[in-house]
Amino acid sequence: LEESWSFLDTVESNFRPLVVIELAKGTKEETIEWLTKRIVDKKANGGAQLLIKPLVTENGVENIYLVGASHIRLLLGAETVGLVKECSDNSMRTFTYSSRKTFKHFADDNHNFLTMAECQYIIKHELENLRAKDEKMIPGYPQAKLYPGKSIVRRLLTSGILVQIFPLHDREELKKLSHSWYGRVKVGYQPLDDIRCYFGETIALYFGFLEYFTFALVPMAVIGIPYYVFAWEDYDKYVMFATFNLLWSTVILEVWKRICAILTYRWGTLLMKRQFEEPRPGFHGVLGINPVTGREEPVYSSIKRQLRIYLVSLPFVCLCLYFSLYVMMIYFDLEQWALDYHRENESNLSSLMLYVPSIIYAVVIEIMNRIYRYAAEFLTSWENHRLESSYQNHLILKVLVFNFLNCFASLFYIAFVLFDMKLLRQSLATLLITSQILNQFAESLLPYWLQKRYNRRMKKRMCSKKTDMDLSLSEQVNMEKEMGTYLGTFDDYLELFLQFGYVSLFSCVYPLAAVFAVLNNITEIYSDALKMCRVYKRPFAEPTANIGVWQLAFETMSVISVVTNCILIGMSPQVDALFPDSKMDLVLTVALIEHLLLAIKFIMAFVIPDKPRDIQMKLAKLEFESLEALKQQVKAFQMQLHFVLIHH
Amino acid sequence: LEESWSFLDTVESNFRPLVVIELAKGTKEETIEWLTKRIVDKKANGGAQLLIKPLVTENGVENIYLVGASHIRLLLGAETVGLVKECSDNSMRTFTYSSRKTFKHFADDNHNFLTMAECQYIIKHELENLRAKDEKMIPGYPQAKLYPGKSIVRRLLTSGILVQIFPLHDREELKKLSHSWYGRVKVGYQPLDDIRCYFGETIALYFGFLEYFTFALVPMAVIGIPYYVFAWEDYDKYVMFATFNLLWSTVILEVWKRICAILTYRWGTLLMKRQFEEPRPGFHGVLGINPVTGREEPVYSSIKRQLRIYLVSLPFVCLCLYFSLYVMMIYFDLEQWALDYHRENESNLSSLMLYVPSIIYAVVIEIMNRIYRYAAEFLTSWENHRLESSYQNHLILKVLVFNFLNCFASLFYIAFVLFDMKLLRQSLATLLITSQILNQFAESLLPYWLQKRYNRRMKKRMCSKKTDMDLSLSEQVNMEKEMGTYLGTFDDYLELFLQFGYVSLFSCVYPLAAVFAVLNNITEIYSDALKMCRVYKRPFAEPTANIGVWQLAFETMSVISVVTNCILIGMSPQVDALFPDSKMDLVLTVALIEHLLLAIKFIMAFVIPDKPRDIQMKLAKLEFESLEALKQQVKAFQMQLHFVLIHH
């Protein structure tokens, strides 16, 4: 009976496919057998105790497997990954199987207590934590070495036996979600909680940030419009606008932390304990003893990594930066040439020509950013970081530095070397608008169109006229497995970061930037939503409590923007006219104001609490309760002990 | 048998007095009886299960009681307060009674496993956590109200029935410690581990910081001497000195964090869990329900507190700041007068007279600081903060702002309004040296002398010629209870903070400041050590993992010093001479350098890890182990559950 417990479930009608495993064509039979055995095997035997079923299509059995789990297995898994759910008394608590009755909406027959995304996350976690016992290699593949504790799925992935693992879409839910999300044009909030239920916290938090950021830009845009329309260029109005922008950008970043805390508290991720970080899949090295865990695993000397970083990566990044500056100088030559051309033969066409160099440069910048992105990924992965977090930090640092210079160097050069405010305004506008158009196109519309064309061809081949809803499971799986993979929120945040740079760095020169940013972000919400729902495979949910290093990146940008804006205001002819006698006084005044603004910024960041008061109270309450519980345990134990001591 | 368990121990010969409780003269008999009963009562009955013994002197029983505890009680208490001790395998772990055998130096008959300071801390914790059950008032004192959960000892203290609680000195240990600490003149480190064993972590950390800071200032002092002696005033040398100072001050503050982590890891406090914070003793309000704990306790509306802060405290602080500036203007009048006098009748005496205003001003500053300190304490306590940490933060903020302005306003005024570098140098030197002398005198030497005189009189009265070592217990207690109470490290850190300001804010004008700081700190170590060992009552040990808000205060000061030093360098005639044509270029260059230095500072603070790599590894290992243990528990539970499910 015990042996067949898991198998029994697989043939039951309640098997709900959650995750798809695609093995390479021609994978050996013994490997498949071994893998399935390990997946269904009991926890006590080191298995994952999940359910697995081959996908049967008209063409017979392909190497595609569907993974699911019994209801109780998922609940136990929820405890293992440390999910936090809402209790009947509206407080958030870490879910445990033994206390399951105290949770809101829990009933033994309610299979919707865990969202589908949570179930898929649990299955991914269980599969990834399926570890080699005494196997020395993957059966059938002597070159795919294993050692005790190595994640089997990761080894299968790196040796190419496992093509991909992805969670299945839920066509019905997806239709509901996409209707309420982007199906109709409406003014209002996105259904963040539904997005979180379907795609998980990381993606929901990105859309939450995008929406918040758009709303936060509206005041800047509203104030910016009259400046542009009426061409207000008085000193005091300018200073007021820039000062408002600077303080506003500090406030919005601080307030975001609070909103983020509210969202992630509601979603339970604010309270989730950090899991111990395992080595990232690509990490390799010679077998040794990990000093922290005491386990045998690959180790790679930190000195070698440092050498790779400082002797290869750093020079390469510097070279790229130099190249970017070189391209910038070519752009200025082009600009000069266009200006000369316009001066010689003045016409409508030639005045349009003035914009051509900027547009070309904007396109080149985008191309360079994308190429550099691949190079940075390759280099960072070659640096062989042990942890995913360390890999991500090095990648983000590399990409941010290059993107910042690549996008803004020409603007800094125009502003602070050429002192040409007219060119700055024109260049800023062209760069901003071109990059926005390019991004929207490359990120969402192009893949959507490609995907649509592919789907049409697929359907034609299947000779069916069914809608998406009527597709059989095997058709759905075959369609989804060909979809592109969503590579995470990195590029989306990067785009927002650069946009924030365009808006804030030179806000006092081009007040209309915020207007374009708002317009772009509104379409961005729609195109990103389309991308998530229609273009890409469903991604695995990833719990997260904040936007991580991006908060720091945005804050740094807002500090830099204080400096640039103060200098720009100081350079404006209106301010110049206020200090007719002494340029010295002008510079000193500007420096004083800059320092004051920076001081106010830091004090504001310090004074505004990162979490709203009611969230603080709820967290304090939870901490108090867990300490109380611990105290009770200790007390009970001590009393027992005293009792024993007295009676002996 | 159970009833008498605690009492049995009290009459045993192994009763070791640890803590002294002094009740007010004429305390009612029923109160004493009730209190003693509660202290010795079993944990199960809500008692503290400690041992208590009245102190018997020649004059009969006074209202002084000695508190101790059995060995096992202390071990259980160590678990309750969450002490972290070293294991046999050299790792640090939270002590639990059940795992006691795995700890280094543990043996059931080794009564030195816990240091005396730890034992006293445990007893203090147990006494403070002795809480009212159903008592409505303290027996015999109907006006001293109690409610369930109120700390009895705190109510006794606030209603004046309990005069004081203090831990006893250990004459033998103290003699050993004082010999190795300040008993002989030597070059070398302080016995920090011994200090920590005797006085606890907070005080040991202060001395650690003082020592580290002194060592860190040595390079500045060494480089500063030739600047003063040879009167180097070239532009490049100056800039080099100031730049070195600025970067050095960043480095030493970052490195301190690492050293602090090493020390507190070794002492176990880095790993100690934060205890839930109870309301501070002085907090009062009407009885209500605490939303966090759900317990009945005094609550005080946050709005009322805010009103008190913004309508009373803030205006008062501003008034004090105004008054301080007013006094400063009087000082400048005096300075002018002394200068005029010197010009009229030039003599040796009149040139000495030049220093008099600064000295008077320095004394006035010290007096104002001290008076303001009392006012700030009174105001902050009147603001009625619920938590000790919030009280401390408000107090420190008030005191720091005033002290900063009071001490440095005149220097800023001289430097940036009067542009008088000679006066700045003179004023800085006088302020620094006078304040150092005053502090050493007021803090240590005066109390030492008073104490010595008092002791002599005491002994004369007792008509004995015994040395300190031969004193009987009752004589020792009677002597110690009259000693002053050490009020914490606040004033000591404040002194160092102001010293750091003198050294770093204007370092490029007066390179000798670091030399005086080093000299002062060396004597400060000795006089503070003397103060701790001979002048004050032994303080209770207080576990701490860092120097808290002072780290932030020092870092802020070092940021401000970057700004002031850059301006000073820009103002120097040597630099002026480098830009003969354009003052504009000068100012711009200085501003650029300042921004670069600030950027380097922040990057350095970001790049230097707060904890050394090996401590990081050890912490990761502990975290891994506790997660593993949790996982094992969950797994064991899940298997049990599966088993049950299968067999039903």
Side-chain angles (χ1 to χ4, degrees), chain B residues 233-240 569 572 574-576 578-579 589 593:
Chain B
E233 297 206 334
D234 315 297
Y235 161 69
D236 48 345
K237 291 208 185 88
Y238 243 145
V239 171
M240 267 171 56
I569 290 177
S572 72
Q574 295 82 20
V575 178
D576 233 35
L578 276 185
F579 296 89
T589 313
I593 291 175

Side-chain angles (χ1 to χ4, degrees), chain A residues 253-268:
Chain A
L253 290 176
E254 286 301 311
V255 171
W256 165 249
K257 282 191 212 154
R258 296 164 67 92
I259 292 184
C260 183
I262 294 174
L263 286 175
T264 52
Y265 176 81
R266 194 165 73 213
W267 297 339

Side-chain angles (χ1 to χ4, degrees), chain A residues 1-2 5 42-45 49 72-73 75-77 79-80 97-98 129 273-276 278 290-295 302 552 563 583-584 586-588 591 594-595 598 602 606 613 616-618 620-625 627-628 631 634-635 637-639 641-643 645-647, chain B residues 1-2 5 42-45 49 72-73 75-77 79-80 97-98 129 273-276 278 290-295 302 552 563 583-584 586-588 591 594-595 598 602 606 613 616-618 620-625 627-628 631 634-635 637-639 641-643 645-647:
Chain A
L1 181 70
E2 280 178 62
W5 182 64
K42 282 197 305 169
K43 268 275 175 193
N45 302 338
Q49 210 156 358
I72 185 168
R73 178 72 193 83
L75 292 178
L76 293 170
E79 179 171 345
T80 312
Y97 187 76
S98 52
N129 277 284
K273 298 269 179 313
R274 206 163 56 82
Q275 304 265 324
F276 192 80
E278 297 290 336
N290 178 328
V292 171
T293 61
R295 288 183 194 149
S302 159
L552 186 67
V563 181
K583 292 293 146 240
M584 209 40 189
L586 166 70
V587 176
L588 289 179
E594 186 222 334
H595 282 82
L598 283 177
F602 280 107
F606 195 76
R613 213 181 134 71
Q616 277 177 27
M617 296 285 278
K618 283 171 184 163
K621 198 168 173 179
L622 280 175
E623 200 197 332
F624 171 75
E625 276 169 11
L627 283 174
E628 276 301 288
K631 228 190 255 171
V634 171
K635 210 181 254 175
F637 168 73
Q638 288 190 355
M639 278 184 195
L641 205 76
H642 275 193
F643 192 74
L645 286 167
I646 290 159
H647 288 275
Chain B
L1 182 70
E2 278 178 66
W5 181 64
K42 283 197 304 168
K43 267 272 173 196
N45 300 338
Q49 209 157 1
I72 185 168
R73 178 70 193 84
L75 291 177
L76 292 168
E79 179 170 345
T80 313
Y97 187 76
S98 52
N129 277 284
K273 299 269 180 313
R274 204 163 58 81
Q275 303 266 326
F276 192 80
E278 299 290 338
N290 179 328
V292 170
T293 60
R295 286 185 195 148
S302 159
L552 186 68
V563 180
K583 292 293 145 237
M584 205 44 186
L586 165 70
V587 175
L588 289 178
E594 186 221 333
H595 282 83
L598 282 177
F602 281 108
F606 196 75
R613 214 180 134 70
Q616 277 177 25
M617 296 285 278
K618 282 172 186 163
K621 198 169 173 181
L622 278 176
E623 199 197 335
F624 171 76
E625 276 169 13
L627 283 173
E628 277 301 288
K631 227 190 256 171
V634 171
K635 206 181 257 175
F637 168 74
Q638 289 191 354
M639 276 181 197
L641 205 77
H642 276 192
F643 192 77
L645 287 166
I646 291 158
H647 288 273

Side-chain angles (χ1 to χ4, degrees), chain A residues 475-490:
Chain A
E475 284 166 332
Q476 187 196 337
V477 171
N478 272 315
M479 196 135 106
E480 285 183 20
K481 84 179 167 66
E482 300 297 333
M483 286 168 122
T485 305
Y486 179 65
L487 292 169
T489 49
F490 186 99

